[in-house]
């Protein structure tokens, strides 16, 4: 699986949009981009995933660049409960179903 | 939504003893379960993949004789840390894959984790 690069930490004000970047310049054509988050001392939570097109669900939006070398996770109106470590993962949809976690971005939402 | 539980949520054991951690899928059948370990301020490290009814596949560098994994049913996997030592103290997290549903999006659901402290 391709590796990802994320900033170590970010912060944003409560109520504002949080934009979390992820670089995956070596991504292959059959690899998806997944985002998970982990609130302190809990198990990871699935957020969103995509292949080429931008995706949106009730939690977030995922913007993937046309060349697929990078993506941005957008939390449109961050709340204090969104403070967590956010992991960007690229993986092939194969029978192993493995998720390999990188170091992630620690997002702090300020009141 | 799909729920995965772990038991216990935390455990303290003495050095040299063994401790068992359970991972259960509460409302779906988990054909595959995964075990991760996480040290403080670090990311999750995949330890092994277990498929129901077969032997677990361990990641490179993980001692299979020390971390015994059993996946005897479609809703239960167990991780036994044998002859535990203080360096085994960590946060252990399992995830489960719903093998009966369609689609790829929600293939892994994570448990809440078990904090192991070895004294």
């Amino acid at each position: 699986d391709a590796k990802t690069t994320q900033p170590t930490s970010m912060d944003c004000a409560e109520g504002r949009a949080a934009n979390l970047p992820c670089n995956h310049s070596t991504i292959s054509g059959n690899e998806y981009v997944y985002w998970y988050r982990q609130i302190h001392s809990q198990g990871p939570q699935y957020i969103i995933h995509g292949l080429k097109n931008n995706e949106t669900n009730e939690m977030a939006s995922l913007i993937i660049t046309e060349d697929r070398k990078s993506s941005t996770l957008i939390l449109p109106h961050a709340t204090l409960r969104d403070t967590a470590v956010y992991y960007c993962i690229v993986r092939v949809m194969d029978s192993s179903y493995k998720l390999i976690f990188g170091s992630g971005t620690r997002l702090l939402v300020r009141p | 939504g799909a729920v995965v539980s772990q038991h216990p949520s935390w455990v303290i054991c003495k050095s040299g003893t063994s401790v068992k951690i359970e991972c259960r899928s509460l409302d779906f059948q988990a054909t595959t379960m995964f075990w991760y370990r996480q040290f403080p301020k670090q990311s999750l490290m995949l330890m092994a993949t277990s498929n129901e009814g077969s032997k677990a596949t361990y990641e490179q560098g993980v001692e299979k004789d020390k971390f015994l994994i059993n996946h005897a049913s479609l809703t239960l996997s167990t991780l036994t840390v044998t002859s535990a030592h203080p360096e085994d103290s960590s946060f252990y997290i399992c995830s489960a894959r719903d093998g009966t549903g369609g689609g790829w999006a929600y293939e892994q659901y994570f448990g809440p984790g078990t904090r192991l402290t070895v004294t």
Side-chain angles (χ1 to χ4, degrees):
Chain A
D1 290 342
K3 292 186 177 179
T4 62
T5 304
Q6 299 178 252
T8 303
S9 63
M10 297 181 65
D11 68 84
C12 74
E14 187 178 20
R16 304 297 293 268
N19 298 281
L20 292 90
C22 178
N23 182 289
H24 31 78
S25 58
T26 59
I27 192 170
S28 300
N30 60 347
E31 289 181 312
Y32 285 69
V33 180
Y34 274 74
W35 283 84
Y36 280 79
R37 73 179 181 183
Q38 185 180 25
I39 295 170
H40 183 62
S41 294
Q42 296 182 24
Q45 176 189 22
Y46 166 84
I47 300 174
I48 199 167
H49 82 289
L51 180 63
K52 295 180 181 179
N53 300 321
N54 298 336
E55 302 288 343
T56 296
N57 62 20
E58 64 277 5
M59 289 183 68
S61 295
L62 173 61
I63 308 298
I64 303 174
T65 58
E66 192 170 341
D67 62 7
R68 302 209 325 124
K69 293 181 183 298
S70 66
S71 61
T72 301
L73 178 74
I74 301 173
L75 307 178
H77 306 287
T79 71
L80 299 180
R81 288 173 294 186
D82 292 322
T83 292
V85 179
Y86 287 77
Y87 295 99
C88 169
I89 303 168
V90 294
R91 54 153 298 189
V92 177
M93 295 298 199
D94 62 12
S95 59
S96 74
Y97 301 100
K98 283 195 226 180
L99 289 173
I100 305 299
F101 286 78
S103 54
T105 296
R106 188 172 298 274
L107 174 68
L108 173 64
V109 180
R110 295 177 279 104
Chain B
V3 178
V4 175
S5 70
Q6 284 185 239
H7 178 79
S9 54
W10 59 270
V11 57
I12 301 172
C13 71
K14 292 188 176 181
S15 186
T17 62
S18 296
V19 61
K20 180 185 286 188
I21 301 170
E22 292 185 349
C23 176
R24 292 182 184 273
S25 57
L26 298 186
D27 50 5
F28 66 98
Q29 292 182 322
T31 51
T32 308
M33 287 184 167
F34 303 85
W35 287 95
Y36 296 81
R37 181 167 55 179
Q38 186 175 33
F39 294 109
K41 297 191 183 300
Q42 294 188 22
S43 185
L44 285 79
M45 186 197 79
L46 179 65
M47 299 175 67
T49 303
S50 74
N51 292 296
E52 184 265 338
S54 61
K55 290 184 178 180
T57 302
Y58 291 80
E59 295 298 304
Q60 192 172 5
V62 178
E63 300 175 60
K64 60 181 66 177
D65 294 331
K66 181 167 184 61
F67 299 100
L68 302 180
I69 292 172
N70 183 280
H71 190 168
S73 78
L74 284 172
T75 60
L76 173 65
S77 176
T78 60
L79 168 68
T80 301
V81 182
T82 63
S83 187
H85 291 285
E87 57 265 31
D88 298 323
S89 298
S90 188
F91 192 50
Y92 292 87
I93 306 169
C94 73
S95 69
R97 173 181 167 266
D98 184 347
T100 58
W104 302 99
Y106 304 105
E107 75 251 32
Q108 281 195 44
Y109 303 96
F110 285 82
T114 296
R115 188 161 302 283
L116 169 64
T117 301
V118 184
T119 61

